[in-house]
Amino acid sequence: MPQYPSVFVHFDGSRRTMERVRLAARIAAGQQCRLVGVCATFAPDPRWFYRVDHAAQCLQEDRDRRRRVSELLRERFESMVWERATSAEWRNLEGEPLVGMLREAKEAGLLVAGQLDESDADSFVAPQFLESIILESGRPVLVVPYAGAFETVGTRVLVAWDGGRECARALHDALPLLAGSRVHLLHANAALHSLRPDATPAAAALRLLRDVGADVSTDYVSAVSDLEIGELILSRAADCGADLIVMGAYGHGRFRELVLGGVTKTILSSMTVPVLLAH
């Protein structure tokens, strides 16, 4: 069966950080692989400080604050690792957090990150941080909701399939979590993509899932809007009691900004269970 060589988990100063770390640790233990904690917290642009009096002092105070946060998180991480006897490593990123996170993420077998919680200021790391990780890292990203408890991941799974490149990548990247799982394969095509000549039929995904011992049921919905597909994925996931959603992430760059596709944006804003995305 396929396995991840490593699981990386993003640390920030948010209230929910340790919840996703515990989930990442369970996955790493199940995969018998290395767990890497990567600390990347909000770092103001140093140029901002030079617009105020005592710029050097303000800059040093902010660095000291981030160092204290990192040290506290490292202690929590090491304590949890010691309790679980997990092979682990800690990395603290300096400088621009998004650049550093993208650099580290490319080594990950699986990257675990958190949904942005707008009610928690410490959940913010950088503009479009999560979107950039999903669309630019080249690695599968397991996004954990900021609310809820997740004792299992991958026992009951909703796989969204449209026959495209992104969903194929996501399915292959999720296989280490899907061996022996109960999977509901939702074949849904947005109206704009329903006639794509290169779309791979759901039968191919079905064979792949059965190859890893998954118990699969299928569901086909044709030609609906992106918004309807997003809502359909969430609805079907709730109906089958899914503890994981697997789907492709769609997006593109526009005017130096990343723009998520409608389905991806809907899921990331309304998710209630972990979602594995790949671009």
Side-chain angles (χ1 to χ4, degrees):
M1 294 296 179
Q3 286 189 304
Y4 296 122
S6 63
V7 174
F8 281 46
V9 57
H10 169 234
F11 275 78
D12 55 31
S14 66
R15 295 185 293 264
R16 295 285 295 181
T17 287
M18 292 308 297
E19 289 298 320
R20 67 173 172 266
V21 173
R22 279 187 277 272
L23 179 58
R26 288 200 298 272
I27 295 172
Q31 297 288 306
Q32 298 182 322
C33 70
R34 181 169 47 109
L35 176 66
V36 180
V38 183
C39 183
T41 58
F42 173 71
D45 188 328
R47 292 173 295 183
W48 296 355
F49 289 97
Y50 295 111
R51 299 178 182 178
V52 300
D53 294 334
H54 311 295
Q57 179 182 346
C58 291
L59 185 59
Q60 186 58 49
E61 288 175 353
D62 182 72
R63 287 172 176 164
D64 292 342
R65 175 192 62 80
R66 286 187 284 118
R67 190 175 295 113
R68 289 193 298 271
V69 170
S70 174
E71 182 62 22
L72 176 61
L73 292 173
R74 182 186 64 80
E75 290 175 358
R76 292 177 178 175
F77 178 64
E78 291 180 348
S79 175
M80 184 205 67
V81 167
W82 182 81
E83 291 175 358
R84 295 174 178 268
T86 303
S87 172
E89 177 185 346
W90 173 260
R91 300 182 187 179
N92 182 49
L93 303 185
E94 301 290 345
E96 208 288 314
L98 177 55
V99 171
M101 196 69 199
L102 285 172
R103 182 177 59 244
E104 298 294 331
K106 293 180 179 65
E107 182 187 340
L110 174 71
L111 175 61
V112 181
Q115 179 191 27
L116 176 65
D117 181 0
E118 294 184 352
S119 69
D120 183 356
D122 290 328
S123 178
F124 179 83
V125 177
Q128 297 188 306
F129 181 79
L130 181 58
E131 295 91 333
S132 299
I133 296 301
I134 292 170
L135 296 179
E136 296 189 335
S137 69
R139 306 307 306 134
V141 181
L142 180 66
V143 183
V144 182
Y146 61 74
F150 310 102
E151 296 302 319
T152 63
V153 59
T155 59
R156 299 173 307 281
V157 185
L158 186 288
V159 173
W161 182 264
D162 68 359
R165 174 179 63 86
E166 289 84 355
C167 70
R169 177 68 181 272
L171 178 54
H172 279 271
D173 285 339
L175 287 180
L177 297 176
L178 303 185
S181 300
R182 294 180 60 186
V183 176
H184 187 78
L185 180 64
L186 175 63
H187 187 183
N189 288 95
L192 292 178
H193 304 301
S194 58
L195 300 178
R196 277 177 17 180
D198 65 336
T200 300
L206 183 61
R207 287 192 293 269
L208 186 62
L209 287 163
R210 286 176 174 166
D211 282 345
V212 297
D215 178 11
V216 190
S217 61
T218 59
D219 187 6
Y220 178 78
V221 180
S222 63
V224 293
S225 70
D226 280 357
L227 178 59
E228 289 172 318
I229 288 182
E231 293 174 347
L232 181 65
I233 290 171
L234 294 171
S235 174
R236 290 290 197 276
D239 290 344
C240 67
D243 59 10
L244 174 66
I245 295 172
V246 175
M247 59 180 285
Y250 293 83
H252 60 275
R254 185 176 68 187
F255 305 122
R256 296 185 179 180
E257 291 189 355
L258 292 170
V259 180
L260 291 175
V263 176
T264 312
K265 187 174 182 179
T266 297
I267 297 299
L268 286 179
S269 64
S270 304
M271 57 191 291
T272 56
V273 298
V275 181
L276 190 148
L277 300 113
H279 180 61

